[in-house]
Each structure stands twice: as C-alpha cells, then as structure tokens.
Amino acid sequence: EALRFAVFDGPKAENAELLGSHIFPSERFWPAGFEGTLQFAEEQSRRERKSNVMLKVKVVTPESALPHQFAAAVKESSGVNGLERFEVEMKELRARMPFLNEADFVWHTRVFEALRDEDWLVQRARLITSADKIFGIPVGHIAGRLFESISPKGQAIGVLDWGMFMQKHRGNSWDAQQERLNLTFTLYDLDGDGMLSLADAISLSSEVVRLEKIYGEDSNSIAVCEEMRWLYGLIANAADGGRDGGRLDLQVFKQLRPDPALMAAMSKCLDALARVSTR
C-alpha cells in the first residue's frame, strides 16, 4: 500500500497551511526498504506563492531491517533447490494426508503456484501484494496476518506448511467451520493481542475508508467491507458504553458472526485460483 506524506507550516494540520504532499507507491519501498529524498508536489498557498518542499525519508521493512538473514534465506531456497524442496514437500503432503483425493492435491498445488515467488516459496511481501487474489479486495494488513498465522516465525512458506494449514479450513465439517471462525478472528486481530480491540476496529475502519476511495459506492455491496464496518460499529459502541473496554473475545465473536464474509470471500477466491493455470 502507498504511503502519503504531507508537510504543513504549523504543528496542527487543521489550522496550518499545506506546503506540499507526496504519494509514495509501495513498489518503491517494499520489500527492500527505501532511504532517499522525495520531491513533494507544490501547493498554491493562501499567500499566492508556491513552496518547494523536499523531505529525506527512510522506510524500514522486515526484510530491509534484517538484510543478511533475508538474503541468506532467499539464496538458500532459490533456483533448483527451491524446486527440489517443493517436490519433496509435495510427497510429504501426500504422505500426511492419504485421505485426500487427487483433486484436492491439484487444488493445493495450483493455489500455491499462483501465490509463490520464483524461489518456490510464499514470501510475506508477495502475499501482501496478492491480497486481492486471496480476499477479492486489496486488504494488505489482513493478508499480512494470514502469513503470520501460517508462519509465526516469519519464515517463507513452503507447499507443505501451506497445504497443511489450508486443508484445515476447507470443507463443511464442524471442525473446518470452527477453524474458519478462529482464522477470521485472528486476521481481524491486527495487533495480535488475542482480542478484537478498539485499536483493531479503528484500523479496520481506516481500511474501509481506503477501499471506499478505490471502489466508491460499489464498496457498499462488498461483503467484507460491510463486515469490517459492522465490527467497527460493534466495538466502538461497546467502548462508548464502557462494556469490556470495547474488547471482543473469540467466543463472543463466534456467536455474533457464525458465517464470516471474510472466509467466504477467501474460499471463493482460492477456488478461482485453483481453476486457473497461472504459470
């Protein structure tokens, strides 16, 4: 997602004059980070003069913060070694799940191939930029939480871990339904503290505002947007009423949202990826 910088001539933006602004696209800083000078767009001031604003910026990402570890991980899993790992892990996936039929393994293979990098692994940056392929809309923060759910240590994901994780959430069994509810709660828990808090709700509301700018009135018909609006309203009202500090736990969430739109969207999108040969 792009970063937006704005410089004002005073400490409070609502009372200050905008001197310059800059939209910094994500491809310039993700995943390798960025350090340099940005030339801001000039703004006509109330005093009928233009300002020339330049700003030194440093953007740090997880990969750029640990360059040596990241480079070593990429080197280790790239090229032929990455393909060999994929083939070994596919054999292991089949051994661990003998109850699946060939169509299931084709599903896992095609979905993984649609989201993997050239090293035959799913990297966090790639998953974030592929959020629209996974959920139907570009919700990068939620895609990042999905990566963290599959790989808590932040390591790139192979087909074995991917397939084992995804298989738990497929199907119509009671266990699969519970897993989908647990995952939905985890993905909306953006700060990872085990509760849906007011901070999470505000972040989700900001996501909705951004999506409204992309889709306009069509956002009203997007079920995931509606679900995030509902969640924000629920938690904000609870916070205003002093109930549990506006914090929502997993069990209450399950009762209030037994069929989450986020999982329905993810299931639909992944099924679509499995039907398309992407490479």
Side-chain angles (χ1 to χ4, degrees):
E1 299 176 19
L3 298 177
R4 183 178 187 273
F5 298 94
V7 176
F8 298 85
D9 68 352
K12 295 183 178 180
E14 61 270 19
N15 298 322
E17 186 174 354
L18 179 63
L19 300 179
S21 61
H22 185 86
I23 303 296
F24 195 40
S26 59
E27 57 266 22
R28 292 194 59 190
F29 65 83
W30 190 271
F34 174 86
E35 185 170 6
T37 302
L38 301 180
Q39 175 69 56
F40 279 33
E42 295 181 337
E43 303 287 343
Q44 188 72 41
S45 74
R46 293 189 295 267
R47 296 186 292 273
E48 296 185 353
R49 60 177 176 80
K50 288 189 175 182
S51 55
N52 185 21
V53 179
M54 300 183 71
L55 185 68
K56 288 185 177 180
V57 173
K58 182 176 182 180
V59 181
V60 178
T61 65
E63 287 83 353
S64 65
L66 299 171
H68 301 298
Q69 294 91 324
F70 180 65
V74 171
K75 181 177 179 181
E76 181 181 351
S77 60
S78 62
V80 175
N81 289 336
L83 177 57
E84 289 177 350
R85 170 177 169 169
F86 171 80
E87 292 172 344
V88 169
E89 289 195 358
M90 275 303 301
K91 291 180 180 179
E92 180 66 19
L93 185 63
R94 289 176 178 273
R96 293 192 188 187
M97 296 187 170
F99 52 87
L100 298 184
N101 57 39
E102 190 60 29
D104 292 319
F105 289 114
V106 169
W107 187 94
H108 286 298
T109 301
R110 288 185 175 177
V111 171
F112 181 83
E113 287 228 356
L115 299 171
R116 69 169 174 84
D117 275 322
E118 296 303 320
D119 57 6
W120 289 85
L121 296 169
V122 174
Q123 304 283 351
R124 188 177 193 276
R126 178 61 178 270
L127 207 64
I128 289 173
T129 58
S130 301
D132 59 330
K133 294 182 180 180
I134 302 170
F135 301 107
I137 52 177
V139 281
H141 294 312
I142 292 176
R145 288 291 291 149
L146 176 61
F147 181 90
E148 294 159 8
S149 299
I150 304 173
S151 178
K153 295 182 179 180
Q155 299 173 337
I157 302 167
V159 70
L160 176 60
D161 289 337
W162 178 270
M164 294 287 291
F165 182 89
M166 286 296 163
Q167 185 58 38
K168 293 190 303 181
H169 302 86
R170 299 186 69 209
N172 298 319
S173 69
W174 184 87
D175 287 339
Q177 291 173 352
Q178 293 304 303
E179 290 290 351
R180 288 194 291 271
L181 283 167
N182 294 341
L183 180 57
T184 303
F185 183 89
T186 298
L187 298 186
Y188 283 146
D189 178 19
L190 296 176
D191 58 13
D193 67 351
M195 298 286 286
L196 295 182
S197 63
L198 186 58
D200 294 320
I202 291 173
S203 296
L204 292 174
S205 178
S206 298
E207 278 286 271
V208 171
V209 171
R210 184 181 62 81
L211 293 169
E212 287 172 346
K213 293 178 180 179
I214 296 174
Y215 297 105
E217 293 183 358
D218 290 342
S219 67
N220 295 326
S221 61
I222 299 175
V224 175
C225 287
E226 183 279 328
E227 187 164 79
M228 290 192 290
R229 291 189 190 99
W230 166 81
L231 194 55
Y232 170 77
L234 180 70
I235 295 175
N237 289 336
D240 288 342
R243 300 192 303 274
D244 300 322
R247 292 164 63 85
L248 194 67
D249 65 23
L250 174 60
Q251 296 307 316
V252 174
F253 177 81
K254 285 183 175 182
Q255 295 172 10
L256 296 176
R257 206 71 175 182
D259 189 19
L262 188 64
M263 286 298 100
M266 186 173 111
S267 177
K268 180 180 178 180
C269 289
L270 295 185
D271 284 345
L273 287 179
R275 289 194 295 269
V276 177
S277 178
T278 59
R279 295 177 187 264

